[in-house]
């Protein structure tokens, strides 16, 4: 279907643009700063959005992710920053934030995710197919945008 539409992906794109707008004037040092009482930083949260989307949409559907497995492992739930992220890496992460969303939309239209393996996430939500995932992603991304806003106030 050439006119197939995915409003959740449109929402996801808007959220990701909001994330980039929120952090556009932050320095490399600020993006890497872990405030007292926190176990991660702004750039970890941004990279986590990419890693989560790649794992949820691609890996759990038996597809090859658009980022290396090492990236997903470094930013999956339960991890924390292990090293400072360079300015060059930050620019790559910002670019991936948008490009992975554009590619997701293309892959959804091409039905790359028809064989999804159902699972229950850490919040107890049952996610049975790609439609459940793309409905869940804006909630997840909004939560992390909130974390980014909180972190930004402290750096």
């Amino acid at each position: 279907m050439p006119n197939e539409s995915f409003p959740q992906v449109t929402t996801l794109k808007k959220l990701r643009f909001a994330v980039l707008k929120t952090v556009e004037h932050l320095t490399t040092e600020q993006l890497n700063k872990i405030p007292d009482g926190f176990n991660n930083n702004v750039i970890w949260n941004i990279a986590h959005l990419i890693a989560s989307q790649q794992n949820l949409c691609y890996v759990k559907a038996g597809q090859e992710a658009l980022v290396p497995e090492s990236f997903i492992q470094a930013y999956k739930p339960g991890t924390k920053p292990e090293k400072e992220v360079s300015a060059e890496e930050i620019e790559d992460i910002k670019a991936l934030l948008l490009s992975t969303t554009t590619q997701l939309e293309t892959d959804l239209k091409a039905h790359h995710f028809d064989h999804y393996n159902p699972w229950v996430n850490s919040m107890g939500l049952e996610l049975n197919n790609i439609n459940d995932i793309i409905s869940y992603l804006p909630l997840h991304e909004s939560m992390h945008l909130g974390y980014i806003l909180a972190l930004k106030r402290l750096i």
Side-chain angles (χ1 to χ4, degrees), residues 9 12-13 16 96-105:
V9 176
L12 194 61
K13 285 180 181 181
R16 289 186 170 196
L96 280 170
L97 194 63
L98 300 180
S99 67
T100 54
T101 309
T102 300
Q103 188 61 48
L104 172 64
E105 187 168 40

Side-chain angles (χ1 to χ4, degrees), residues 1-7 105-111 114 131:
M1 291 184 198
N3 293 329
E4 199 167 8
S5 173
F6 298 94
E105 187 168 40
T106 299
D107 292 342
L108 284 165
K109 289 177 181 175
H111 301 279
D114 288 346
N131 291 328

Side-chain angles (χ1 to χ4, degrees), residues 48-84:
H48 171 74
L49 297 177
I50 299 161
S52 293
Q53 181 245 354
Q54 290 295 294
N55 186 48
L56 294 174
C57 294
Y58 289 85
V59 175
K60 291 198 180 293
Q63 301 293 319
E64 187 173 332
L66 305 173
V67 299
E69 176 65 20
S70 59
F71 185 94
I72 294 171
Q73 291 301 313
Y75 297 105
K76 69 182 182 180
T79 64
K80 59 185 178 185
E82 297 296 328
K83 65 177 183 67
E84 186 160 308

